Amino acid sequence: MFSSEGLASFCSGNAEIGHRLVYNLELYFRLMLRWELVGNSGKGWKSVLGSLYKEASDRRHEESQLRIIDVDSRNLLSYLMLSELKDIITSEAVWPLFKDRWPPQDIFLAEFKIFNQLRHKAAHFRPLTDRDMRQLEKFKVMVVEMSAHYRQQRRGAKLIIAAEQLEKLPEEFQNGIQGWAADCAAQDGRWSDLVVKKMGKYLVVDVRLRAGSFAPRVVSRLVDDTGCDAIFLSINFGTGALRIYIPFALKADEAKLMLNGIKSFQSAEEDLVGDDFDLMPETFDFVMPYEVELPMDFRF
């Protein structure tokens, strides 16, 4: 049953391809949901989950009590079942965020029902037939078409470079970005190469540390200190490059706190204190929404 290298030899080609496709499709739905909720509600995005917020929180807590596996502490949506995810997406509060780009709800639900049954087959190791694979491929094509506008958002992002363009931003963002730009222009601060764009419901900031790299725990520290996980980050720890997506839905005090928190990120050199345990990077903090491709970049 197993090869000399210890690899299972009983998996068909359909099983390998089908499992990968099911995994990516489900991950994509979770990613799209978080992207839309954060963009629409800012820091209050979890309130839209209703009673399922407690369900997911309880499951995460139960997992943490095992203490022998790593908990996905920053990704609450990963503790929702696919059927629960579907219920949130099609709820009266959330469906309006999708309906203008997606098929009518009855068509979506019919196709989703087939996909969910195929997911059950894959999860319980029942064979995926050629007919099943055609259904999976059909659903994938529909999802790609449903998400085409995300790629249009990326291409249509508006670069903000002039003072009059900054003045069109909400005041709390305008002040924070102007101060950041001044620091970069001075060429003697810790930041450089600031680029600001407006993309849909998000302000996108690209910036780089002038020297050094980020401390391994900067994201956890930012979220904990600001009490806000309504952000998406991409961090290159090697080059010190940072890209952050900040929703315009943040309130004035939240946006100010978030921008100040980002600008005060510690570098690796500044973080060299404490014992060895304190210096361990928190790997699972960067699975999602950190260090992950966004809806406009995701590929199946």
Side-chain angles (χ1 to χ4, degrees):
M1 188 172 290
F2 290 87
S3 67
S4 57
E5 292 81 16
L7 301 176
S9 58
F10 51 82
C11 290
S12 67
N14 281 352
E16 184 176 353
I17 296 170
H19 278 73
R20 182 183 300 113
L21 189 51
V22 166
Y23 178 92
N24 283 336
L25 283 165
E26 183 168 341
L27 174 62
Y28 198 34
F29 273 106
R30 296 177 190 277
L31 182 58
M32 285 193 291
L33 178 59
R34 183 175 182 121
W35 178 258
E36 293 295 341
L37 292 183
V38 168
N40 192 67
S41 303
K43 187 177 177 180
W45 70 272
K46 291 190 288 289
S47 64
V48 185
L49 303 180
S51 61
L52 288 174
Y53 172 75
K54 184 179 185 304
E55 291 282 344
S57 299
D58 289 345
R59 291 166 191 164
R60 183 172 58 186
H61 177 71
E62 289 174 6
E63 187 174 274
S64 70
Q65 296 306 295
L66 292 174
R67 298 188 179 87
I68 56 174
I69 62 175
D70 292 305
V71 178
D72 198 352
S73 60
R74 301 296 186 191
N75 182 13
L76 186 69
L77 294 183
S78 68
Y79 292 92
L80 292 175
M81 293 185 288
L82 184 59
S83 59
E84 294 171 335
L85 203 70
K86 175 262 298 176
D87 291 341
I88 293 172
I89 290 173
T90 56
S91 67
E92 291 184 7
V94 178
W95 183 252
L97 303 178
F98 295 102
K99 69 175 185 178
D100 291 338
R101 304 286 184 176
W102 288 18
Q105 191 175 117
D106 57 340
I107 296 177
F108 170 73
L109 286 172
E111 296 295 333
F112 193 94
K113 182 177 181 179
I114 296 172
F115 169 68
N116 199 25
Q117 290 302 314
L118 291 170
R119 180 195 183 277
H120 289 332
K121 290 190 73 173
H124 295 280
F125 306 105
R126 295 195 293 273
L128 292 172
T129 66
D130 290 343
R131 185 183 185 185
D132 294 335
M133 296 302 293
R134 288 194 295 271
Q135 290 293 335
L136 274 178
E137 183 64 25
K138 177 185 175 184
F139 189 72
K140 183 197 80 170
V141 170
M142 187 182 80
V143 173
V144 169
E145 292 173 350
M146 286 158 47
S147 57
H149 63 288
Y150 290 122
R151 291 178 284 282
Q152 295 170 0
Q153 283 183 13
R154 168 60 54 79
R155 291 192 295 268
K158 297 180 180 179
L159 185 65
I160 300 173
I161 52 177
E164 59 270 19
Q165 291 172 313
L166 280 175
E167 290 173 359
K168 296 179 181 179
L169 293 175
E171 185 176 352
E172 57 272 22
F173 291 91
Q174 180 187 142
N175 295 339
I177 295 300
Q178 283 178 330
W180 209 347
D183 292 342
C184 291
Q187 297 186 356
D188 58 1
R190 62 202 308 261
W191 298 99
S192 65
D193 304 328
L194 180 72
V195 177
V196 183
K197 295 180 181 179
K198 182 179 180 182
M199 191 179 76
K201 298 177 181 179
Y202 289 86
L203 183 73
V204 186
V205 179
D206 282 295
V207 71
R208 184 184 302 274
L209 282 175
R210 194 174 299 279
S213 60
F214 293 103
R217 295 171 297 173
V218 291
V219 174
S220 287
R221 200 165 291 160
L222 174 68
V223 173
D224 292 339
D225 290 349
T226 63
C228 180
D229 62 352
I231 53 172
F232 291 82
L233 287 176
S234 176
I235 299 176
N236 187 316
F237 286 91
T239 65
L242 167 70
R243 172 173 290 171
I244 180 166
Y245 297 79
I246 311 174
F248 288 115
L250 287 183
K251 297 177 182 178
D253 57 336
E254 296 167 352
K256 181 179 179 180
L257 191 61
M258 178 58 63
L259 285 169
N260 288 338
I262 297 165
K263 286 189 286 185
S264 62
F265 263 170
Q266 287 183 298
S267 68
E269 292 78 8
E270 295 169 326
D271 198 45
L272 294 178
V273 294
D275 54 34
D276 290 341
F277 180 79
D278 288 336
L279 295 176
M280 291 294 290
E282 295 175 291
T283 307
F284 283 83
D285 280 355
F286 302 104
V287 176
M288 191 172 81
Y290 318 112
E291 294 279 64
V292 70
E293 303 211 4
L294 299 179
M296 57 284 299
D297 300 315
F298 207 88
R299 295 292 179 269
F300 296 99

